Amino acid sequence: MTGRLDRKVALITGAASGIGRASALLFAKEGASVSVVDRALPGAQETVAVITKARGEAIAIEADVSSAADVERMIKRTVDTYGRLDILFNNAGISARTLAFTADLSEEDWDAVLDTNLKSVFLASRLAIPIMIRQGGGVIVNTSSAQGIGGGPLVSPYCASKAGIILLTKTMAAEYAKQNIRVNCICPGMTDTPMMSAYFSSLQMDFIPQGRPGDPEEIARAALFLASDDASYVTGAFLPVDGGWSAQLVVPYKQGP
Ligand code: NAP
């Protein structure tokens, strides 16, 4: 059977958990050799174990995506192992470290989120792009958020980092289209992963038109579309995968007279 990513080499960050793990499993099922990157090696190794049990191909790499040295090592290890890099999926991210209004945030809170979520995309892309150019092309997929499209109180570093990813995506798409590199991002809404599930019990889901959180697999399928040749004429796009959350402005009608 042919897969949509046969003979492709994909590097996925944050792949020990949630959306990254679901994407690693799906990309491997579709034929890709996958570098499973996370700051937690045991979690990355668990993802690899599931892939290899299903007769897929993967390696686990421990790296902190906010560290230039770690990012260089994860790319080198991938190319040393598989000989190329076709798909870079910059997915690792953290939510706001502190829930606070902007004036109450520390510089450390700001830097931690921006470095992990946004600088990481720059660090990995600047190394992957020359490799992809030498190969004749490649694909970069970045994970933004519905909260990169619309802001939300108490999480300004998160929203700023995710909005930054959208314009970094568009800019790189315009810069490297002629070298056959496509760059797109997904904007997940509330997704049932370890990052978010703790909050779900205190949230009513009626702000989401579809009325429920997403499954990591539903986000992974959107990432697969952008990573595959099915999206051959798509570059510079941000794709909400959020049950309609970012499509509507919530209007708080009063109940009764
Ligand atoms: P998750 O289950 O927490 O998975 C994220 C993984 O990335 C974790 O294993 C995490 O490790 C790892 N990671 C964090 N910082 C890292 C670093 N500096 N270097 C390497 N790995 C690192 O979360 P998720 O929900 O799947 O999130 C994946 C992406 O989707 C993130 O970019 C997130 O912002 C985005 N997103 C999620 C939602 C949602 O509702 N879940 C919505 C919109 C966007 P630790 O566990 O050690 O932190």
Side-chain angles (χ1 to χ4, degrees), residues 18-236:
I19 293 166
R21 172 172 284 178
S23 301
L25 303 186
L26 182 61
F27 284 26
K29 194 172 155 200
E30 291 291 337
S33 300
V34 183
S35 281
V36 174
V37 176
D38 207 282
R39 61 180 168 190
L41 187 59
Q45 287 168 331
E46 273 174 38
T47 303
V48 169
V50 179
I51 290 173
T52 43
K53 197 168 169 212
R55 296 175 184 278
E57 173 58 41
I59 53 168
I61 302 174
E62 182 176 7
D64 174 348
V65 294
S66 65
S67 150
D70 278 19
V71 167
E72 190 172 350
R73 201 171 35 75
M74 82 183 180
I75 302 251
K76 184 174 183 314
R77 170 97 191 277
T78 301
V79 175
D80 286 350
T81 305
Y82 294 122
R84 53 191 294 116
L85 176 59
D86 301 292
I87 298 160
L88 171 66
F89 184 8
N90 291 306
N91 167 74
I94 53 172
S95 53
R97 293 199 324 170
T98 315
L99 290 181
F101 284 114
T102 305
D104 299 323
L105 284 167
S106 69
E107 189 177 348
E108 290 73 28
D109 287 334
W110 180 268
D111 285 347
V113 177
L114 270 289
D115 286 358
T116 302
N117 293 4
L118 180 58
K119 190 173 91 173
S120 60
V121 178
F122 158 68
L123 290 176
S125 301
R126 71 173 177 166
L127 296 179
I129 285 166
I131 296 168
M132 291 174 176
I133 290 174
R134 281 199 296 278
Q135 288 172 184
V139 181
I140 298 175
V141 180
N142 301 317
T143 302
S144 174
S145 169
Q147 289 192 299
I149 302 170
L154 302 174
V155 288
S156 62
Y158 187 79
C159 294
S161 71
K162 295 299 186 179
I165 287 176
I166 294 176
L167 272 189
L168 180 55
T169 296
K170 291 183 182 205
T171 303
M172 292 194 295
E175 287 174 338
Y176 298 105
K178 293 226 167 25
Q179 280 97 347
N180 197 29
I181 298 173
R182 294 187 299 103
V183 190
N184 292 291
C185 67
I186 50 171
C187 297
M190 290 285 164
T191 309
D192 194 0
T193 70
M195 179 188 279
M196 284 310 297
S197 48
Y199 297 99
F200 286 163
S201 57
S202 58
L203 285 175
Q204 288 189 326
M205 289 293 166
D206 36 358
F207 65 95
I208 303 171
Q210 282 188 240
R212 64 168 179 88
D215 281 330
E217 292 74 20
E218 292 177 293
I219 315 300
R221 288 202 295 273
L224 170 64
F225 164 68
L226 293 173
S228 76
D229 289 343
D230 288 347
S232 55
Y233 199 50
V234 182
T235 196

Side-chain angles (χ1 to χ4, degrees), residues 234-247:
V234 182
T235 196
F238 63 99
L239 176 60
V241 194
D242 63 0
W245 181 20
S246 63

